[in-house]
Amino acid sequence: MISLSERITLTSLADYKTFLAIVDEGSLTSAGARLGRSLQAVSRSLARLEQDLGLELVSRTTRRLHPTPAGLDFADRIRLALTTIDAAREDLLASDRRLAGTIRIGTSSLFGPEYVTPALSDFLTRNPEVDVELVLSDEHVDLVAEKLDFAVRIGNLPDSSLRVRRLGGLNWAIFASPAYLAAYGRPEHPRELSDHACVLRASDDDRWVFDDNRRRIEVHGRFRSENAAVRNAAVASGLGIGLAPLWQVRRLIEQGTVEQILVGHEPPPIPLQIVWVGRRASALPRRVRAAMEFLVARLSALRI
């Protein structure tokens, strides 16, 4: 009979990492491409791990591999352990404390270029051996599926197992073009918006929230779009009154293209946060922790 210590020596860290790649990629071929290993080597690693554990970790079909319930549970439990080992190894080897490697970061298509990219540019200047891949999406994508180390997200988050680092709130602005205000008047109270044309999001329920969620005003308008940049441009062209995060229209306000109205009646600030897969920040690789802390400092200081 094989003892526990003898069984453990049958597998290596590479086998565990290969198994996680198979779970994430859904195929042996894709896992091999991700790890730079041959199909045969990946297959041997999986077989060795299943033989060692005496369990089927992955069920095979003609088209795709699917983790078994036991395999999914095992993957979740070893993922944190392997990440911790990688972080410890990186800390030990980085005797000169220089950061190196690639970081994949997610953020939105408008906020990313305007605020995240300039901060990351400064971070890369200070850390010449680090590479960054910035992934833009206006959807709350799966961080594991997209292989993101962390993401900068705006808005309320659905319940999840993600870790969250809150950075504060982003202010709203109610605004209109000078031409519109000259033609139709300047509302002095949110209730007057019902008498004005508003530029709306396509999926809005035609009610805007004001004064810390205590007041909901029914609005209407002839122009709608799901795209924020399009809506803001429509307001600037005089099609109606708009409601948008202040950071989106700050330059239009500074240029005099639009004017803020109903100041003091805006909706509550929009949450801004950094999220990552459920593990302690201290267990993340040094380069990821450093990039995260750099963005925390820069984005928390924004006054928008």
Side-chain angles (χ1 to χ4, degrees), residues 31 74 76-77 100 111 135 157 175 193 198 220 237 240 248 256 263 268 271 296 303:
F74 186 62
D76 288 341
R77 298 183 69 176
F111 190 79
V135 180
L157 297 174
F175 61 106
L193 290 174
C198 294
H220 60 84
S237 68
Q248 287 184 6
V263 176
V296 166
R303 294 294 181 264

Side-chain angles (χ1 to χ4, degrees), residues 175-177 180 199 230-243 258:
F175 61 106
S177 71
Y180 178 90
V199 173
V230 169
R231 292 195 303 273
N232 298 338
V235 175
S237 68
L239 288 180
I241 294 173
L243 174 65
V258 299

Side-chain angles (χ1 to χ4, degrees), residues 246-290:
L246 176 59
W247 63 265
Q248 287 184 6
V249 296
R250 178 175 52 85
R251 291 184 180 176
L252 294 176
I253 295 171
E254 292 173 350
Q255 295 166 357
T257 306
V258 299
E259 297 179 19
Q260 273 187 272
I261 60 174
L262 298 175
V263 176
H265 292 285
E266 297 88 353
I270 314 159
L272 176 67
Q273 54 257 312
I274 286 178
V275 300
W276 67 98
V277 174
R279 68 189 78 159
R280 298 187 310 277
S282 59
L284 296 171
R286 283 183 58 243
R287 64 183 182 279
V288 175
R289 298 199 310 267

Side-chain angles (χ1 to χ4, degrees), residues 3-284:
S3 68
L4 177 60
S5 60
E6 290 171 325
R7 290 174 67 87
I8 291 175
T9 60
L10 295 176
T11 55
S12 67
L13 285 178
D15 294 330
Y16 291 108
K17 291 180 178 180
T18 298
F19 170 61
L20 288 183
I22 293 171
V23 171
D24 293 342
E25 299 292 338
S27 79
L28 299 180
T29 302
S30 297
R34 170 175 161 180
L35 298 172
R37 304 184 68 193
S38 68
L39 176 61
Q40 294 76 14
V42 170
S43 181
R44 284 196 298 269
S45 279
L46 177 60
R48 187 162 50 240
L49 189 56
E50 289 184 324
Q51 180 181 6
D52 185 28
L53 295 173
L55 292 170
E56 183 184 44
L57 299 174
V58 176
S59 61
R60 286 80 164 167
T61 65
T62 56
R63 292 181 178 270
R64 192 169 175 83
L65 302 181
H66 298 278
T68 63
L72 281 175
D73 180 65
F74 186 62
D76 288 341
R77 298 183 69 176
I78 67 172
R79 192 182 300 276
L80 175 59
L82 291 178
T83 301
T84 303
I85 291 172
D86 286 341
R89 183 176 183 274
E90 185 178 85
D91 284 350
L92 181 63
L93 294 179
S95 56
D96 61 357
R97 311 312 292 170
R98 298 185 70 175
L99 304 176
T102 299
I103 311 169
R104 281 178 58 84
I105 302 170
T107 189
S108 71
S109 60
L110 290 179
F111 190 79
E114 186 76 13
Y115 294 100
V116 179
T117 299
L120 289 177
S121 177
D122 289 345
F123 177 77
L124 291 176
T125 299
R126 301 181 186 196
N127 299 281
E129 296 181 23
V130 173
D131 296 331
V132 166
E133 296 180 21
L134 189 61
V135 180
L136 302 181
S137 174
D138 293 324
E139 304 295 329
H140 285 183
V141 299
D142 187 315
L143 269 66
V144 174
E146 295 296 325
K147 303 180 183 64
L148 298 177
D149 292 297
F150 64 88
V152 180
R153 287 190 172 164
I154 298 171
N156 295 313
L157 297 174
D159 292 337
S160 71
S161 60
L162 295 178
R163 297 270 182 165
V164 179
R165 178 79 175 270
R166 303 195 183 279
L167 307 181
L170 301 175
N171 294 320
W172 288 93
I174 311 157
F175 61 106
S177 71
Y180 178 90
L181 296 174
Y184 300 101
R186 179 186 298 268
E188 300 295 335
H189 193 276
R191 61 175 171 266
E192 297 175 35
L193 290 174
S194 297
D195 299 324
H196 283 266
C198 294
V199 173
L200 306 174
R201 184 176 178 179
S203 59
D204 274 352
D205 63 358
D206 295 353
R207 285 180 174 82
W208 286 354
V209 179
F210 296 90
D211 301 322
D212 292 331
N213 290 317
R214 293 193 300 270
R215 186 186 303 274
R216 293 177 180 270
I217 302 298
E218 186 170 346
V219 293
H220 60 84
R222 298 171 56 204
F223 189 92
R224 294 174 180 266
S225 176
E226 197 63 26
N227 184 275
V230 169
R231 292 195 303 273
N232 298 338
V235 175
S237 68
L239 288 180
I241 294 173
L243 174 65
L246 176 59
W247 63 265
Q248 287 184 6
V249 296
R250 178 175 52 85
R251 291 184 180 176
L252 294 176
I253 295 171
E254 292 173 350
Q255 295 166 357
T257 306
V258 299
E259 297 179 19
Q260 273 187 272
I261 60 174
L262 298 175
V263 176
H265 292 285
E266 297 88 353
I270 314 159
L272 176 67
Q273 54 257 312
I274 286 178
V275 300
W276 67 98
V277 174
R279 68 189 78 159
R280 298 187 310 277
S282 59
L284 296 171

